[in-house]
Amino acid sequence: MNAFTLDPQAFLRQLFDAAVQRALPLHNTAAWLPPPPKGRTLVLGAGKAGGAMAQAVEALWPADQPLSGLVITRYHHTPPRPAGLPARIEVVEAAHPVPDAAGLAASERILALTQGLTKDDLVLCLISGGGSSLLTLPAEGVSLQDKQRINRDLLHSGANITEMNCVRKHLSRIKGGRLAAACAPAQVVTLTISDVPGDDPSVIASGPTVCDHTTCADALAILQRYRIAVSPQVEAALLSGALETPKLGIAWHEQPVHLIATPQQSLEAAAQVARAAGLNAYVLSDEIEGESREVGKVHAALARASARGLGPFQKPCVILSGGETTVTVRAQPPGTPKGRGGRAGEFCLGLAEALQAQPGVWALAADTDGIDGSEDNAGARVAPDTLARAAALGLKPSAHLDRNDAYGFFEPLGDLVITGPTFTNVNDFRALLVL
């Protein structure tokens, strides 16, 4: 296969698959496992990759060494168990992105498992994106219903992941380093798969085992900035600092955190596939944030310039990017059908509109966990004829953008990317092919 014979859409899917493959836990865990301790090894964790991470540890941990624990993952995100692999770590499923009672019950069990640990024991924490919702244990004075509403409001507000997780940490009894504090005096080793711009472990899944440098005042400012209401009791607790995360009393430097897979690594894996096919490959960044539709417009401008032989990117080429964009859900008049979609779909809508049917440009954007927002698709595709096919069906990109309905735009076109759960999560993947 070369740049002149490839099928654009199939090739873009190949790039996505390469990015996902690079981030699978089984390929990335062995190098970071500590030696077995004198005592017992307890595995705790949460995230969309939690089931796959647990299976990787079960496969790699010495069969004659004790191993037990509990990990929470999203519904339908537990991978099939390989034949002959004994189950030593319990995996339970709960809701994402809005927490539910199953996540609450499992989080209570995780915290209870930390009781009675000794300095001879090892706690291996498996953390990946999605853990903020799955590992839900509300702070005193905060109900599960409060957490659900605040979480939902944050998701619709346009707040970025760092802001959302700052709030989540301070309204929790287990996040923001509290899980590590509960494990004392045991050794805590965290293996994490990054889904956040900058790969900050304190932001990934709201850093349950990592020192938190944000404060109650930061959390309250974010809630006020996005006009998210909390009860007078919670506001008073934030104002007084009563909900502050652990800052002292833990030797954080003795609790190692290992990034076993990152967005940049996955983008580089996709770039290698593109170069092997004879294309130039450019990785813009793995830290791109902002409104999804606006990021789509910027990518469109770069692709259009490249297609015309202008700008820094020489065709034939692939332009790659990652990070975590946001979608601000727009208020709608009464009776308006509810929009469906996520970050990747909204990016593709903004991209398609701004590309203006540019010849020679194809694109795919998808979430590497296989789920775009809360729908059943990972993302969507864009081609030079997208707007023409949409017009033939009476679909207007601007109207669908107005109601955040990327799913309703791309589904009739047959241009949704549907992969099912991938059992990992390094966040947004975007690839533009310019021929």
Side-chain angles (χ1 to χ4, degrees):
M1 180 177 65
N2 59 55
F4 303 102
T5 61
L6 58 80
D7 175 336
Q9 298 292 13
F11 183 68
L12 287 169
R13 176 59 188 269
Q14 184 182 352
L15 298 183
F16 174 76
D17 291 343
V20 169
Q21 185 77 9
R22 176 63 180 82
L24 291 176
L26 189 59
H27 303 156
N28 298 288
T29 300
W32 304 107
L33 286 176
K38 290 180 182 179
R40 63 193 182 98
T41 299
L42 176 67
V43 178
L44 304 174
K48 297 176 190 173
M53 295 179 82
Q55 286 187 5
V57 172
E58 288 173 327
L60 296 166
W61 199 252
D64 60 348
Q65 294 293 325
L67 185 71
S68 64
L70 176 63
V71 171
I72 313 170
T73 195
R74 182 176 178 164
Y75 290 122
H76 312 302
H77 281 244
T78 304
R81 177 161 293 276
L85 180 65
R88 297 194 275 174
I89 303 165
E90 183 182 357
V91 177
V92 298
E93 298 182 344
H96 178 279
V98 177
D100 68 355
L104 174 60
S107 300
E108 289 174 335
R109 289 180 59 200
I110 282 179
L111 201 58
L113 286 170
T114 66
Q115 300 301 306
L117 290 167
T118 74
K119 62 182 179 59
D120 291 330
D121 298 327
L122 168 68
V123 179
L124 192 59
C125 288
L126 309 179
I127 303 299
S128 60
S132 292
S133 299
L134 298 165
L135 196 64
T136 185
L137 199 55
E140 187 175 349
V142 181
S143 68
L144 175 61
Q145 291 72 29
D146 291 335
K147 285 292 289 282
Q148 289 172 324
R149 179 189 57 76
I150 293 168
N151 213 61
R152 193 177 289 110
D153 289 348
L154 283 167
L155 290 166
H156 291 173
S157 70
N160 65 37
I161 190 63
T162 301
E163 293 171 321
M164 287 195 286
N165 285 358
C166 173
V167 173
R168 287 161 162 167
K169 291 176 196 179
H170 289 89
L171 300 184
S172 172
R173 285 187 285 132
I174 198 167
K175 295 191 274 284
R178 292 184 176 91
L179 179 57
C183 291
Q187 167 78 68
V188 177
V189 175
T190 302
L191 307 185
T192 187
I193 294 177
S194 174
D195 72 326
V196 302
D199 302 330
D200 183 348
S202 73
V203 178
I204 303 165
S206 299
T209 61
V210 181
C211 181
D212 178 35
H213 298 289
T214 67
T215 66
C216 284
D218 295 328
L220 186 57
I222 291 163
L223 290 166
Q224 292 171 342
R225 183 179 311 139
Y226 292 100
R227 298 181 175 86
I228 295 171
V230 293
S231 70
Q233 294 86 350
V234 170
E235 184 176 8
L238 289 171
L239 279 168
S240 70
L243 298 181
E244 196 52 84
T245 48
K247 302 294 191 293
L248 302 173
I250 297 177
W252 295 105
H253 63 283
E254 296 176 1
Q255 311 288 13
V257 178
H258 303 298
L259 286 162
I260 70 169
T262 67
Q264 183 68 28
Q265 292 169 350
S266 286
L267 292 173
E268 290 293 347
Q272 289 176 10
V273 172
R275 291 172 186 134
L279 282 75
N280 297 313
Y282 305 97
V283 178
L284 292 181
S285 172
D286 69 337
E287 299 185 39
I288 292 178
E289 299 182 86
E291 281 289 326
S292 293
R293 64 182 70 193
E294 301 303 324
V295 174
K297 292 176 183 178
V298 172
H299 281 62
L302 296 173
R304 280 171 60 83
S306 177
R308 296 168 179 175
L310 304 172
F313 306 133
Q314 290 189 319
K315 66 175 185 180
C317 70
V318 169
I319 302 170
L320 299 160
S321 74
E324 181 161 351
T325 58
T326 54
V327 173
T328 301
V329 177
R330 271 64 176 173
Q332 299 296 321
T336 304
K338 185 178 182 296
R340 301 174 64 193
R343 300 189 305 265
E346 187 137 330
F347 167 88
C348 285
L349 259 181
L351 176 76
E353 191 174 50
L355 278 174
Q356 303 172 40
Q358 174 67 50
V361 178
W362 292 260
L364 179 150
D367 196 315
T368 52
D369 68 358
I371 304 295
D372 186 23
S374 58
E375 304 302 333
D376 61 359
N377 65 311
R381 295 181 291 261
V382 174
D385 64 349
T386 294
L387 295 183
R389 289 186 291 118
L393 295 177
L395 302 172
K396 296 182 178 180
S398 59
H400 283 265
L401 277 171
D402 286 344
R403 61 177 185 269
N404 303 108
D405 188 29
Y407 194 102
F409 181 84
F410 288 107
E411 183 184 36
L413 298 176
D415 284 341
L416 294 175
V417 176
I418 297 178
T419 66
T422 64
F423 311 118
T424 192
N425 180 22
V426 287
N427 231 317
D428 299 345
F429 173 87
R430 295 175 288 268
L432 282 71
L433 176 63
V434 186
L435 298 179

Tab-separated table of all heavy atoms in Angstrom, residues 383-418:
chain	number	residue	atom	x	y	z
A	383	ALA	N	-15.451	13.250	4.647
A	383	ALA	CA	-14.883	13.046	3.316
A	383	ALA	C	-15.191	14.267	2.452
A	383	ALA	O	-16.016	15.112	2.814
A	383	ALA	CB	-15.470	11.783	2.687
A	384	PRO	N	-14.549	14.365	1.280
A	384	PRO	CA	-14.831	15.506	0.405
A	384	PRO	C	-16.303	15.616	0.002
A	384	PRO	O	-16.784	16.719	-0.278
A	384	PRO	CB	-13.933	15.234	-0.808
A	384	PRO	CG	-12.794	14.432	-0.270
A	384	PRO	CD	-13.414	13.552	0.770
A	385	ASP	N	-17.029	14.492	-0.013
A	385	ASP	CA	-18.439	14.541	-0.436
A	385	ASP	C	-19.415	14.565	0.740
A	385	ASP	O	-20.623	14.416	0.548
A	385	ASP	CB	-18.753	13.354	-1.347
A	385	ASP	CG	-18.627	12.003	-0.643
A	385	ASP	OD1	-18.102	11.964	0.492
A	385	ASP	OD2	-19.051	10.978	-1.238
A	386	THR	N	-18.920	14.758	1.968
A	386	THR	CA	-19.801	14.731	3.143
A	386	THR	C	-20.919	15.755	3.022
A	386	THR	O	-22.100	15.451	3.243
A	386	THR	CB	-18.996	14.976	4.427
A	386	THR	OG1	-18.105	13.873	4.636
A	386	THR	CG2	-19.908	15.124	5.633
A	387	LEU	N	-20.583	17.002	2.699
A	387	LEU	CA	-21.605	18.052	2.641
A	387	LEU	C	-22.607	17.795	1.520
A	387	LEU	O	-23.812	18.058	1.687
A	387	LEU	CB	-20.941	19.419	2.459
A	387	LEU	CG	-20.056	19.897	3.617
A	387	LEU	CD1	-19.530	21.299	3.332
A	387	LEU	CD2	-20.813	19.866	4.934
A	388	ALA	N	-22.139	17.288	0.383
A	388	ALA	CA	-23.055	17.007	-0.724
A	388	ALA	C	-24.032	15.890	-0.354
A	388	ALA	O	-25.240	15.987	-0.629
A	388	ALA	CB	-22.265	16.627	-1.980
A	389	ARG	N	-23.539	14.835	0.266
A	389	ARG	CA	-24.422	13.740	0.671
A	389	ARG	C	-25.402	14.201	1.743
A	389	ARG	O	-26.559	13.790	1.776
A	389	ARG	CB	-23.596	12.555	1.165
A	389	ARG	CG	-22.850	11.834	0.044
A	389	ARG	CD	-22.138	10.571	0.528
A	389	ARG	NE	-21.000	10.885	1.398
A	389	ARG	CZ	-20.896	10.518	2.669
A	389	ARG	NH1	-21.881	9.839	3.244
A	389	ARG	NH2	-19.825	10.821	3.370
A	390	ALA	N	-24.924	15.060	2.641
A	390	ALA	CA	-25.809	15.594	3.679
A	390	ALA	C	-26.913	16.444	3.068
A	390	ALA	O	-28.090	16.335	3.456
A	390	ALA	CB	-25.000	16.402	4.684
A	391	ALA	N	-26.554	17.294	2.117
A	391	ALA	CA	-27.545	18.157	1.478
A	391	ALA	C	-28.616	17.336	0.770
A	391	ALA	O	-29.804	17.692	0.793
A	391	ALA	CB	-26.854	19.099	0.490
A	392	ALA	N	-28.206	16.228	0.177
A	392	ALA	CA	-29.165	15.366	-0.513
A	392	ALA	C	-30.184	14.770	0.455
A	392	ALA	O	-31.307	14.439	0.054
A	392	ALA	CB	-28.430	14.248	-1.250
A	393	LEU	N	-29.803	14.670	1.737
A	393	LEU	CA	-30.714	14.135	2.752
A	393	LEU	C	-31.388	15.238	3.558
A	393	LEU	O	-32.114	14.963	4.521
A	393	LEU	CB	-29.945	13.207	3.698
A	393	LEU	CG	-29.374	11.926	3.088
A	393	LEU	CD1	-28.570	11.151	4.127
A	393	LEU	CD2	-30.476	11.057	2.502
A	394	GLY	N	-31.127	16.489	3.175
A	394	GLY	CA	-31.728	17.612	3.889
A	394	GLY	C	-31.090	17.906	5.233
A	394	GLY	O	-31.733	18.509	6.110
A	395	LEU	N	-29.828	17.500	5.410
A	395	LEU	CA	-29.129	17.714	6.676
A	395	LEU	C	-28.244	18.950	6.579
A	395	LEU	O	-27.457	19.088	5.637
A	395	LEU	CB	-28.249	16.495	7.008
A	395	LEU	CG	-28.960	15.144	7.118
A	395	LEU	CD1	-27.941	14.021	7.240
A	395	LEU	CD2	-29.903	15.138	8.321
A	396	LYS	N	-28.371	19.841	7.551
A	396	LYS	CA	-27.562	21.056	7.581
A	396	LYS	C	-26.599	21.005	8.773
A	396	LYS	O	-27.043	20.912	9.921
A	396	LYS	CB	-28.453	22.288	7.700
A	396	LYS	CG	-29.360	22.496	6.493
A	396	LYS	CD	-30.186	23.759	6.663
A	396	LYS	CE	-31.072	23.998	5.442
A	396	LYS	NZ	-31.892	25.234	5.599
A	397	PRO	N	-25.292	21.076	8.511
A	397	PRO	CA	-24.331	21.018	9.626
A	397	PRO	C	-24.592	22.082	10.688
A	397	PRO	O	-24.518	21.800	11.886
A	397	PRO	CB	-22.986	21.241	8.932
A	397	PRO	CG	-23.199	20.861	7.518
A	397	PRO	CD	-24.623	21.183	7.208
A	398	SER	N	-24.910	23.298	10.270
A	398	SER	CA	-25.101	24.386	11.232
A	398	SER	C	-26.268	24.102	12.162
A	398	SER	O	-26.204	24.387	13.368
A	398	SER	CB	-25.315	25.712	10.504
A	398	SER	OG	-26.450	25.631	9.648
A	399	ALA	N	-27.336	23.525	11.636
A	399	ALA	CA	-28.500	23.219	12.469
A	399	ALA	C	-28.160	22.136	13.493
A	399	ALA	O	-28.598	22.199	14.652
A	399	ALA	CB	-29.668	22.765	11.596
A	400	HIS	N	-27.391	21.167	13.064
A	400	HIS	CA	-27.008	20.100	13.994
A	400	HIS	C	-26.014	20.603	15.029
A	400	HIS	O	-26.052	20.166	16.197
A	400	HIS	CB	-26.446	18.909	13.214
A	400	HIS	CG	-27.504	18.078	12.548
A	400	HIS	ND1	-28.038	16.949	13.115
A	400	HIS	CD2	-28.150	18.257	11.374
A	400	HIS	CE1	-28.967	16.442	12.313
A	400	HIS	NE2	-29.059	17.214	11.248
A	401	LEU	N	-25.141	21.520	14.646
A	401	LEU	CA	-24.239	22.127	15.625
A	401	LEU	C	-25.025	22.933	16.657
A	401	LEU	O	-24.714	22.910	17.849
A	401	LEU	CB	-23.214	23.019	14.924
A	401	LEU	CG	-21.976	22.334	14.345
A	401	LEU	CD1	-21.176	23.317	13.500
A	401	LEU	CD2	-21.099	21.751	15.449
A	402	ASP	N	-26.042	23.630	16.196
A	402	ASP	CA	-26.833	24.467	17.105
A	402	ASP	C	-27.445	23.660	18.238
A	402	ASP	O	-27.632	24.168	19.345
A	402	ASP	CB	-27.937	25.200	16.343
A	402	ASP	CG	-27.404	26.354	15.499
A	402	ASP	OD1	-26.248	26.764	15.735
A	402	ASP	OD2	-28.137	26.823	14.614
A	403	ARG	N	-27.783	22.400	17.970
A	403	ARG	CA	-28.398	21.577	19.026
A	403	ARG	C	-27.480	20.430	19.468
A	403	ARG	O	-27.954	19.451	20.047
A	403	ARG	CB	-29.761	21.055	18.573
A	403	ARG	CG	-29.782	20.168	17.344
A	403	ARG	CD	-31.212	19.674	17.093
A	403	ARG	NE	-31.293	18.726	15.999
A	403	ARG	CZ	-31.512	19.062	14.733
A	403	ARG	NH1	-31.681	20.338	14.419
A	403	ARG	NH2	-31.573	18.134	13.793
A	404	ASN	N	-26.181	20.566	19.198
A	404	ASN	CA	-25.196	19.560	19.640
A	404	ASN	C	-25.627	18.153	19.231
A	404	ASN	O	-25.654	17.220	20.042
A	404	ASN	CB	-25.012	19.608	21.161
A	404	ASN	CG	-24.602	20.980	21.658
A	404	ASN	OD1	-25.392	21.682	22.271
A	404	ASN	ND2	-23.366	21.362	21.389
A	405	ASP	N	-25.931	17.995	17.940
A	405	ASP	CA	-26.489	16.734	17.457
A	405	ASP	C	-25.623	16.143	16.348
A	405	ASP	O	-26.085	15.918	15.230
A	405	ASP	CB	-27.924	16.950	16.964
A	405	ASP	CG	-28.630	15.642	16.632
A	405	ASP	OD1	-28.301	14.614	17.249
A	405	ASP	OD2	-29.507	15.645	15.737
A	406	ALA	N	-24.368	15.886	16.654
A	406	ALA	CA	-23.471	15.300	15.659
A	406	ALA	C	-23.917	13.894	15.278
A	406	ALA	O	-23.825	13.493	14.109
A	406	ALA	CB	-22.041	15.267	16.202
A	407	TYR	N	-24.420	13.149	16.253
A	407	TYR	CA	-24.861	11.777	15.974
A	407	TYR	C	-25.975	11.789	14.927
A	407	TYR	O	-25.970	10.986	13.977
A	407	TYR	CB	-25.346	11.130	17.272
A	407	TYR	CG	-25.511	9.635	17.219
A	407	TYR	CD1	-24.566	8.784	17.779
A	407	TYR	CD2	-26.633	9.053	16.626
A	407	TYR	CE1	-24.727	7.404	17.744
A	407	TYR	CE2	-26.804	7.682	16.586
A	407	TYR	CZ	-25.839	6.867	17.151
A	407	TYR	OH	-26.009	5.494	17.112
A	408	GLY	N	-26.931	12.707	15.090
A	408	GLY	CA	-28.046	12.789	14.152
A	408	GLY	C	-27.637	13.219	12.762
A	408	GLY	O	-28.368	12.986	11.793
A	409	PHE	N	-26.471	13.849	12.644
A	409	PHE	CA	-25.963	14.246	11.330
A	409	PHE	C	-25.241	13.086	10.650
A	409	PHE	O	-25.495	12.774	9.479
A	409	PHE	CB	-25.012	15.433	11.480
A	409	PHE	CG	-24.441	15.945	10.184
A	409	PHE	CD1	-25.148	16.852	9.401
A	409	PHE	CD2	-23.197	15.521	9.734
A	409	PHE	CE1	-24.625	17.327	8.205
A	409	PHE	CE2	-22.660	15.985	8.541
A	409	PHE	CZ	-23.382	16.899	7.774
A	410	PHE	N	-24.344	12.442	11.376
A	410	PHE	CA	-23.482	11.431	10.748
A	410	PHE	C	-24.129	10.058	10.635
A	410	PHE	O	-23.766	9.278	9.752
A	410	PHE	CB	-22.160	11.323	11.510
A	410	PHE	CG	-21.252	12.504	11.307
A	410	PHE	CD1	-21.066	13.441	12.310
A	410	PHE	CD2	-20.602	12.696	10.099
A	410	PHE	CE1	-20.245	14.540	12.109
A	410	PHE	CE2	-19.776	13.787	9.889
A	410	PHE	CZ	-19.597	14.719	10.895
A	411	GLU	N	-25.112	9.751	11.485
A	411	GLU	CA	-25.731	8.424	11.402
A	411	GLU	C	-26.436	8.197	10.064
A	411	GLU	O	-26.212	7.153	9.419
A	411	GLU	CB	-26.707	8.217	12.556
A	411	GLU	CG	-27.322	6.815	12.562
A	411	GLU	CD	-28.358	6.638	13.651
A	411	GLU	OE1	-29.098	7.607	13.950
A	411	GLU	OE2	-28.439	5.529	14.217
A	412	PRO	N	-27.279	9.124	9.571
A	412	PRO	CA	-27.922	8.874	8.268
A	412	PRO	C	-26.921	8.768	7.116
A	412	PRO	O	-27.230	8.153	6.085
A	412	PRO	CB	-28.835	10.099	8.091
A	412	PRO	CG	-29.019	10.656	9.453
A	412	PRO	CD	-27.748	10.384	10.174
A	413	LEU	N	-25.749	9.363	7.280
A	413	LEU	CA	-24.730	9.299	6.229
A	413	LEU	C	-23.946	7.989	6.258
A	413	LEU	O	-23.170	7.710	5.337
A	413	LEU	CB	-23.739	10.461	6.388
A	413	LEU	CG	-24.310	11.875	6.251
A	413	LEU	CD1	-23.224	12.910	6.528
A	413	LEU	CD2	-24.911	12.083	4.871
A	414	GLY	N	-24.135	7.220	7.322
A	414	GLY	CA	-23.347	6.001	7.477
A	414	GLY	C	-21.902	6.300	7.851
A	414	GLY	O	-21.016	5.481	7.596
A	415	ASP	N	-21.675	7.448	8.463
A	415	ASP	CA	-20.311	7.886	8.741
A	415	ASP	C	-19.961	7.908	10.224
A	415	ASP	O	-18.993	8.571	10.630
A	415	ASP	CB	-20.079	9.281	8.138
A	415	ASP	CG	-19.902	9.224	6.626
A	415	ASP	OD1	-19.611	8.136	6.112
A	415	ASP	OD2	-20.076	10.274	5.976
A	416	LEU	N	-20.712	7.190	11.037
A	416	LEU	CA	-20.291	6.997	12.412
A	416	LEU	C	-19.180	5.951	12.458
A	416	LEU	O	-19.190	4.984	11.679
A	416	LEU	CB	-21.454	6.530	13.284
A	416	LEU	CG	-22.604	7.514	13.490
A	416	LEU	CD1	-23.719	6.844	14.287
A	416	LEU	CD2	-22.134	8.776	14.198
A	417	VAL	N	-18.228	6.129	13.342
A	417	VAL	CA	-17.192	5.129	13.585
A	417	VAL	C	-17.624	4.332	14.807
A	417	VAL	O	-17.712	4.873	15.910
A	417	VAL	CB	-15.820	5.785	13.840
A	417	VAL	CG1	-14.783	4.724	14.191
A	417	VAL	CG2	-15.387	6.581	12.616
A	418	ILE	N	-17.916	3.055	14.608
A	418	ILE	CA	-18.394	2.205	15.692
A	418	ILE	C	-17.397	1.073	15.909
A	418	ILE	O	-17.162	0.263	15.015
A	418	ILE	CB	-19.794	1.660	15.395
A	418	ILE	CG1	-20.791	2.832	15.288
A	418	ILE	CG2	-20.244	0.681	16.475
A	418	ILE	CD1	-22.202	2.444	14.938
